[in-house]
Amino acid sequence: LFQLMQESHTVSVRINDVQKAYAILMSRHMIVKTGSDRVHIQVKSDTEVADAVRMLAGNGLDVYAVNACQSGLEELFIRVLNQ
């Protein structure tokens, strides 16, 4: 369980155009979920977070906030099933 928690984590990015952000991130094969005004991106390092933000801003999107999300047991269970 601890190893799974260390492998990757999710960040929430509040942004002005969720659909455009989703398309950009999916084209780079990033795992993305969407909310009403944000995308949730699964990343493995702080460098991946910076790269994603740079990519979004470089494509004309306004990035308002970036927050780390804590993995819940349900998310970890799904990761185990997908391995």
Side-chain angles (χ1 to χ4, degrees), residues 14-57:
R14 195 164 64 86
I15 199 150
N16 65 318
D17 188 337
V18 171
Q19 296 304 321
K20 185 175 179 181
Y22 179 83
I24 291 165
L25 296 167
M26 290 299 291
S27 74
R28 305 295 170 110
H29 306 288
M30 299 185 91
I31 299 172
V32 183
K33 295 180 186 176
T34 60
S36 61
D37 66 344
R38 64 193 68 234
V39 291
H40 302 276
I41 310 166
Q42 192 170 350
V43 295
K44 294 181 181 173
S45 67
D46 289 344
T47 302
E48 284 188 10
V49 175
D51 290 344
V53 170
R54 197 175 303 110
M55 185 182 347
L56 294 169

Side-chain angles (χ1 to χ4, degrees), residues 1-5 7 42 72-83:
L1 188 60
F2 180 75
Q3 182 182 1
L4 280 175
M5 292 176 72
E7 287 177 5
Q42 192 170 350
L73 286 176
E74 181 179 348
E75 183 179 331
L76 294 173
F77 179 72
I78 291 170
R79 276 198 242 161
V80 168
L81 291 177
N82 289 330
Q83 290 184 355

